[in-house]
Amino acid sequence: MAKLKQSPTKASRNATVEVMSSRKEHSGAGEERAIEPAKGKLGVMIPGMGAVATTFVAGVEAVRKGIAHPIGSLTQMGTIRLGKRTDGRSPKIKEFVPLAGLNDLVFTGWDIFEDNMYAAARNAGVLERDLLDKVKGRLSAIKPMKAVFDHNYVKKIDGPNVKKGKNKLELAEQLRQDIRDFKKSSGASRLVTIWCASTETFIEPSAAHQSVKALEKAMKENDENIAPSMVYAYASLMEGVPFANGAPNLTVDVPAMLELSREREVPICGKDFKTGQTLIKTVLAPAFKARLLGVSGWYSTNILGNRDGEVLDDPGSFKTKEESKLGALEHILQPALYPELYGNIFHKVRINYYPPRGDNKEGWDNIDIFGWLGYPMQIKVDFLCRDSILAAPIVLDLVLFLDLAQRTPELRRLGIQEWLSFYFKSPMTPPGLYPEHDLFIQLIKLKNTLRYLKGEELITHLGLEYYD
């Protein structure tokens, strides 16, 4: 992460801001970074054609038909302020940077079940039958390719639509052929892979993950430390396809994948879509820290009944999710800097599988805080949310922003796209750099990156320029 100095309005005023760039200095407004145009179709490849994937694709088809609005999507509905507040310049993001249009998207996916996307969406039970029937033709045409699957990584489900090969490197080669075949058959000029499949069981980084050479050797030897998601990521990066990880799996968050992404100049980002309970945490925790209110305890529990809930009923998969959900508070509140306020928090996360609830998750939080003179207070939040409804616009934005990154040399050379932290529970960073979890800092980072790419002044919120 480079520290860049922005050209001040007056020589006496220097503001230092943080943006994603390998350059040492921002050359000022007016100089546009090289961004290749979004010509042709953009292929979206999705491992895991379950509730999130089908809700995303059905939603895009509904928006394209003009029967719904892309609510929740920053790329479609969000604006970006340019210049001073008094300038009155706030174009839509999709009009400010050259993003692929929704009409240019084409879809495919892999799944262990053989249902096409219409049948899978019906089974997921997220969207109403009336809406699904209006896009049935498009959804029915999307049939899953055979998936790379290891029951040891997802113990609660199994399915028949699975690839076979003598080792994991051969399975990766089969995925690479799938990618090439889809690019040819769809007529796509560019591709993006986004993982929407289940949470895998928890694993620690091992020797197999330390370099591309070690990774390939481990895949050839069927090393148990190579998860299916890593096989997808490897295949995508080898084919020059950006990869986003929507689950808390280790996947691309290892040295080998970072090496591969930088070597081949292919963007990566993850992990774990920031949807319900963690979204609320990354809003409330910054407020407590901003006002220096102490936190003594934060108890979070979830009930959900979809396939994700069933998978997370396994202790190994829950451990992976737990690690992702627990990290946000520590990084936002910084207990090492504020030991008397946050040095003794009891933070507990629970997830309970409850089939009657389906995709309509309930996230309940009890927060014990304390204020002036140590007096205790409580906050209780009951978020009755729809997990896939919150995730679908995240998938759309990540697809479009990753494609933008791939068309921007300065971004694709970075490998990790930290400016997309806004969308993840456990954002990726370079080794040794702690992640920003504060939702509002993440949004500033994202929008300042877009401003930087287009040669616009970065917004520092200094405010002094209005009082000359």
Side-chain angles (χ1 to χ4, degrees):
M1 191 72 91
K3 294 285 186 180
L4 307 181
K5 287 187 176 179
Q6 182 188 6
S7 302
T9 305
K10 292 190 175 182
S12 61
R13 293 176 185 155
N14 290 317
T16 302
V17 295
E18 188 178 39
V19 299
M20 288 296 293
S21 173
S22 57
R23 294 172 182 257
K24 291 184 178 178
E25 291 185 357
H26 183 276
S27 56
E31 184 179 325
E32 189 171 318
R33 301 292 173 265
I35 306 175
E36 297 162 14
K39 291 183 178 178
K41 295 179 182 178
L42 174 61
V44 184
M45 301 182 298
I46 311 172
M49 285 173 38
V52 171
T54 57
T55 303
F56 156 61
V57 175
V60 170
E61 296 294 350
V63 173
R64 290 204 280 210
K65 289 176 72 72
I67 59 176
H69 297 288
I71 295 169
S73 169
L74 192 65
T75 60
Q76 302 306 299
M77 302 190 79
T79 61
I80 182 166
R81 185 189 122 199
L82 305 177
K84 296 180 181 179
R85 282 180 279 164
T86 50
D87 290 347
R89 291 196 298 148
S90 293
K92 283 192 172 183
I93 288 173
K94 67 179 181 180
E95 296 165 356
F96 177 62
V97 289
L99 300 177
L102 295 191
N103 288 328
D104 295 328
L105 300 184
V106 288
F107 306 101
T108 193
W110 298 266
D111 203 279
I112 64 173
F113 300 107
E114 297 173 335
D115 294 336
N116 63 48
M117 270 212 172
Y118 174 75
R122 288 283 308 277
N123 290 336
V126 178
L127 301 175
E128 295 175 355
R129 173 75 178 268
D130 180 60
L131 176 62
L132 286 176
D133 284 348
K134 290 176 181 176
V135 295
K136 181 178 180 179
R138 291 289 189 97
L139 293 184
S140 297
I142 304 171
K143 300 175 182 177
M145 297 177 283
K146 289 186 175 181
V148 173
F149 183 72
D150 184 343
H151 190 63
N152 292 318
Y153 272 88
V154 183
K155 292 184 170 62
K156 289 289 184 175
I157 60 173
D158 212 341
N161 201 38
V162 176
K163 292 185 185 298
K164 298 188 183 304
K166 64 182 180 181
N167 57 48
K168 295 176 182 180
L169 191 60
E170 184 178 291
L171 293 175
E173 290 301 321
Q174 292 181 34
L175 290 177
R176 293 182 67 179
Q177 188 61 51
D178 288 345
I179 292 170
R180 292 190 287 266
D181 290 345
F182 173 65
K183 188 173 184 180
K184 183 177 180 181
S185 64
S186 67
S189 59
R190 308 173 318 283
L191 302 170
V192 171
T193 302
I194 186 157
W195 177 273
C196 294
S198 299
T199 297
E200 296 171 330
T201 197
F202 181 76
I203 58 171
E204 297 273 8
S206 69
H209 307 132
Q210 298 308 306
S211 68
V212 176
K213 184 177 180 180
L215 182 75
E216 291 174 336
K217 180 175 182 290
M219 292 171 69
K220 194 170 185 179
E221 295 173 352
N222 275 327
D223 192 313
E224 64 180 9
N225 290 298
I226 306 301
S229 62
M230 293 177 175
V231 181
Y232 282 97
Y234 171 83
S236 297
L237 296 179
M238 289 295 289
E239 291 298 314
V241 178
F243 187 96
N245 177 21
N249 314 328
L250 197 59
T251 316
V252 287
D253 206 1
V254 293
M257 295 297 183
L258 178 56
E259 177 190 339
L260 189 59
S261 70
R262 298 198 71 159
E263 178 184 284
R264 292 185 168 258
E265 296 191 0
V266 185
I268 55 176
C269 63
K271 49 196 182 188
D272 206 2
F273 298 141
K274 180 155 55 182
T275 50
Q277 193 170 62
T278 306
L279 172 63
I280 299 301
K281 273 185 182 171
T282 59
V283 171
L284 290 178
F288 300 149
K289 183 182 175 185
R291 291 293 300 269
L292 296 174
L293 295 171
V295 180
S296 57
W298 199 312
Y299 183 88
S300 301
T301 189
N302 301 263
I303 57 173
L304 69 161
N306 58 12
R307 190 184 299 171
D308 193 32
E310 184 178 9
V311 168
L312 293 174
D313 212 28
D314 171 65
S317 293
F318 171 71
K319 173 67 173 172
T320 307
K321 176 67 77 170
E322 182 183 36
E323 290 289 316
S324 174
K325 289 173 79 72
L326 284 174
L329 283 189
E330 182 178 353
H331 288 294
I332 291 173
L333 298 176
Q334 297 178 294
L337 295 181
Y338 304 97
E340 59 274 270
L341 297 177
Y342 313 116
N344 194 32
I345 296 178
F346 184 85
H347 186 198
K348 181 68 82 175
V349 175
R350 285 283 178 263
I351 298 176
N352 299 294
Y353 178 48
Y354 182 58
R357 194 56 62 91
D359 198 68
N360 297 326
K361 183 174 76 173
E362 181 168 1
W364 179 78
D365 289 83
N366 175 81
I367 313 159
D368 287 284
I369 67 173
F370 56 92
W372 184 249
L373 307 180
Y375 275 71
M377 296 173 278
Q378 282 191 348
I379 297 173
K380 297 184 187 296
V381 180
D382 192 9
F383 190 10
L384 298 157
C385 62
R386 295 172 179 260
D387 226 25
S388 299
I389 294 297
L390 292 170
I394 291 178
V395 176
L396 175 59
D397 286 358
L398 285 171
V399 164
L400 299 183
F401 279 142
L402 272 181
D403 176 55
L404 175 71
Q406 183 63 26
R407 290 183 282 109
T408 307
E410 192 164 5
L411 289 182
R412 67 173 179 247
R413 283 196 293 265
L414 294 172
I416 295 170
Q417 304 297 307
E418 192 190 336
W419 63 286
L420 296 177
S421 297
F422 179 72
Y423 296 103
F424 296 105
K425 287 187 182 76
S426 184
M428 290 177 63
T429 60
L433 180 65
Y434 73 84
E436 286 287 2
H437 281 274
D438 183 318
L439 184 75
F440 306 103
I441 292 176
Q442 291 173 336
L443 184 59
I444 291 171
K445 184 189 296 286
L446 189 156
K447 288 190 174 183
N448 265 344
T449 301
L450 299 180
R451 293 182 185 104
Y452 172 76
L453 294 179
K454 295 289 287 183
E456 290 284 343
E457 288 188 32
L458 308 182
I459 303 298
T460 64
H461 302 287
L462 187 63
L464 301 185
E465 62 269 34
Y466 300 104
Y467 299 93
D468 292 336

